[in-house]
Amino acid sequence: MLKIDGITRRFGDVTALDDVSLEIGQGEFFALLGPSGCGKTTLLRIIAGFETPDGGTVTLDGEDLLGRQPNRRPISLMFQSYALFPHMTVAKNVAYGLEREKLPRQEIKKRVGEVLETVGLSAHGDRKPAQLSGGQRQRVALARSIVKRPRLLLLDEPLSALDKKVRADMQLELKRLQNEVGITFVVVTHDQEEAMSLADRIAVFEHGHVRQVDEPVALYERPRTPFVADFVGANNLFEGTTGAGALLTEDFGPLPGTPLDGLEEGAKALLGVRPEKIRLVEAGTVAGGLKGAVLDVSFYGGVSHISVDVPGHVRPVLVAVQGASGVQPGAEVDLSWEAPDAVIIPGAR
Amino acid sequence: MKPQADARPASPARERRLGAFVFLAPGLVYLVVLMLVPLALVLSNVFFQRGRFGGIVYEFTTENFTRLIDPLYLGVVADSLKIATLTTLIALLLGYPTAYLIAQLPSKWRTIALVAIVLPFWTNFIIRVYAWIILLNGQGLVNSGLKALGFDPLELLYNDGAVVTGLLYSYLPLMVLPLYAAIDKLDPQLREASANLGASPFTTFRKVTLPLTVPGVMTGSLFVFVPTFGNFVIPEMLGGGKSIMVGNLIRTEFLKARDWPFGSALATALVAVLVLLLVAQAWAARRA
């Protein structure tokens, strides 16, 4: 439904977006993920009409968007700062968009009441934004964005201003709401966990380029570029060249892994293996694998992270195990994994 | 308070109060000696009679107040109100767009524009008003220009129009600066949110920008109205003695008629009106 084609935007010498093309489907929950300064917010502002691209087109259901003023686009944007009108009550804030459509007063009142109920703020209609908590303000902003029944809802870092507990609640609520109202959501975030838990599909941005567009699981298990492998989730990366069902390294010999389709043997490559896929055993129990010494053990409740110093590897190897771990810092350990659990991708860092 | 707490030489709260006093003292002394004392003198003069050759005869009277409601003087007050209100309104109409545009400029140009706004203050006030006489008089720049183009010269000087022009010129910066501060403080995302919700630029201005900058509008209006209402230099120089404002009247009573008690009554009335305005403004600002 939303088609972004060849969008380029330059600020002076800096290219914020370089020939970005994306296609987002009806009813999809789509995430633009990347570190700050990668261009994702610029793209959002172009779609909303607050920024004009230097080249490319954006169409919604086949209609050109770029030629329209921001107030004439059937798109709602939820701002990172929420941008609630401080001089209006919650109900007035929510009614603002409907009043601009010159709807009858009764209809406005009814729809404002309904949407406030959806976000659980029926009792707060007469309050001013300053009298609300962060989570409540976020819900007012959301209500204000969806009450117009836009075809597309853009959310700019919707959860970043909330503390961790409220964040988890709101994450669930956003998903429930998206199911309920059936609007296409495009969310911008720098938080890969947020993107993965919310979105149906994710586009990963780096320096104004889209590096990969995929479903969360595919993105996590089959990253296609070194940047994605490193940025999305914790990962252990090893350099070498592609072999048959293994990465050939100078320091550790062959490491088991599955090359991506189309990766030629002998090409420079990276192997990525997730912390939870690594088996950690006392030294000498099994043959092969990597040998190292435990540096540190951190207990997170459900999981423990163990960092292991492997001689010849710059970064400590991160291993995740269920529950508490009996391993002590300083212990000699062997690390191993199965070939299907590691991915070999092109390129060296 | 417990006695032992009182006996302690320096509790943190006491120290803080003492520190605050040290910093406030110079300003307080200045205000009390140079403002409150003269004001009290003026106020006390109101209840006495004038001497035959000026000065004050200390016999109680309320005559100075009853003279205030003489239509002659009320007319002057009404004229002053009219001129001050008109000046303030025009200053607002000119100042708001100016302040708005400055707030949208890139930061380097913003600084230049703000310096340009306050630049006239670097020249003497009287000289700047004289410049207007040169511009507006019969052989002035405007009229010579008109003559060169074949038009008849206009009566530009020594009327209310000239007074308003001069007042406007002198006090417009005091309108622009608070408005600029108010507009600059506004989160630009509020305007974007308004547009995103379907509001045209004009609606956004009417529903979001203007209501949120009302405190700036009130401050600027007060800054222009107060010095305009009591002004006597500009009406004297550009009004040619034909336009008399309260300020001129007070000056005349003190310096020419040498009727200090009645001059004091007029001054008191002026201060009372302005204090009322300040209170109203503070009240409205709290509600906004």
Side-chain angles (χ1 to χ4, degrees), chain A residues 5-264:
Chain A
D5 197 14
I7 287 290
T8 300
R9 177 75 175 111
R10 277 179 287 271
F11 298 104
D13 294 338
V14 184
T15 303
L17 290 170
D18 191 3
D19 195 21
V20 168
S21 298
L22 286 170
E23 219 166 318
I24 297 166
Q26 174 66 44
E28 202 172 9
F29 201 136
F30 196 89
L32 310 177
L33 172 68
S36 55
C38 69
K40 57 194 193 301
T41 298
T42 306
L43 182 61
L44 202 72
R45 291 177 59 80
I46 287 172
I47 301 171
F50 301 127
E51 202 76 69
T52 313
D54 296 312
T57 59
V58 179
T59 57
L60 187 67
D61 293 330
E63 293 168 56
D64 172 54
L65 270 188
L66 296 180
R68 291 208 208 172
Q69 290 299 310
N71 54 326
R72 305 211 182 279
R73 300 186 185 195
I75 293 173
S76 279
L77 170 59
M78 195 182 119
F79 290 83
Q80 182 173 9
S81 66
Y82 307 146
L84 298 177
F85 304 126
H87 57 306
M88 298 181 193
T89 62
V90 165
K92 270 282 175 195
N93 262 285
V94 176
Y96 191 84
L98 299 176
E99 283 168 359
R100 303 286 78 76
E101 286 176 14
K102 305 252 186 302
L103 293 177
R105 197 169 295 174
Q106 278 309 312
E107 159 106 17
I108 293 178
K109 220 180 144 191
K110 195 177 122 241
R111 276 172 65 176
V112 169
E114 281 169 5
V115 78
L116 283 181
E117 195 168 336
T118 312
V119 298
L121 285 174
S122 296
H124 297 74
D126 294 331
R127 301 254 185 108
K128 291 271 182 75
Q131 297 167 297
L132 301 177
S133 71
Q136 288 170 328
R137 268 180 239 173
Q138 196 254 10
R139 279 183 282 169
V140 177
L142 195 61
R144 191 177 68 174
S145 315
I146 59 174
V147 73
K148 291 193 73 171
R149 298 175 190 154
R151 282 194 266 166
L152 179 65
L153 175 60
L154 309 172
L155 305 105
D156 188 5
E157 304 273 1
L159 306 174
S160 65
L162 303 176
D163 58 59
K164 208 172 173 182
K165 191 101 175 71
V166 188
R167 221 178 151 115
D169 291 346
M170 290 312 297
Q171 221 157 322
L172 283 174
E173 200 150 337
L174 266 183
K175 261 194 121 144
R176 173 184 69 84
L177 204 77
Q178 200 255 346
N179 259 322
E180 215 171 283
V181 295
I183 301 170
T184 306
F185 276 36
V186 175
V187 58
V188 155
T189 178
H190 67 275
D191 181 339
Q192 44 93 17
E193 275 181 35
E194 188 173 303
M196 289 209 278
S197 62
L198 285 173
D200 301 322
R201 280 197 307 151
I202 300 171
V204 183
F205 279 71
E206 185 201 10
H207 300 318
H209 294 271
V210 176
R211 294 298 183 208
Q212 189 170 351
V213 182
D214 238 321
E215 288 166 15
V217 175
L219 208 59
Y220 189 75
E221 291 183 348
R222 286 261 168 285
R224 292 183 174 280
T225 71
F227 175 76
V228 175
D230 197 34
F231 186 72
V232 179
N235 217 342
N236 298 298
L237 299 174
F238 298 89
E239 283 178 31
T241 52
T242 319
L247 180 85
L248 308 175
T249 64
E250 278 177 31
D251 297 324
F252 315 110
L255 295 173
T258 312
L260 287 178
D261 294 340
L263 198 59
E264 281 174 33

Side-chain angles (χ1 to χ4, degrees), chain B residues 234-250:
Chain B
I234 292 172
E236 183 91 28
M237 291 170 70
L238 300 179
K242 278 188 275 176
S243 310
I244 288 191
M245 291 177 66
V246 184
N248 302 95
L249 200 56
I250 294 170

Side-chain angles (χ1 to χ4, degrees), chain A residues 255-276:
Chain A
L255 295 173
T258 312
L260 287 178
D261 294 340
L263 198 59
E264 281 174 33
E265 274 190 34
K268 276 200 136 198
L270 277 183
L271 177 136
V273 58
R274 298 287 178 186
E276 68 276 11

Side-chain angles (χ1 to χ4, degrees), chain B residues 39-89:
Chain B
L39 199 65
L41 284 174
V42 167
L43 275 174
S44 61
N45 285 348
V46 171
F47 299 100
F48 300 120
Q49 296 175 10
R50 66 179 293 203
R52 193 183 293 176
F53 307 107
I56 295 159
V57 176
Y58 291 96
E59 276 172 47
F60 183 79
T61 177
T62 53
E63 186 207 349
N64 294 314
F65 282 112
T66 42
R67 262 179 83 191
L68 271 182
I69 50 170
D70 185 318
L72 178 70
Y73 300 122
L74 281 184
V76 172
V77 174
D79 279 351
S80 307
L81 271 177
K82 196 183 76 188
I83 287 180
T85 308
L86 187 67
T87 306
T88 307
L89 272 180

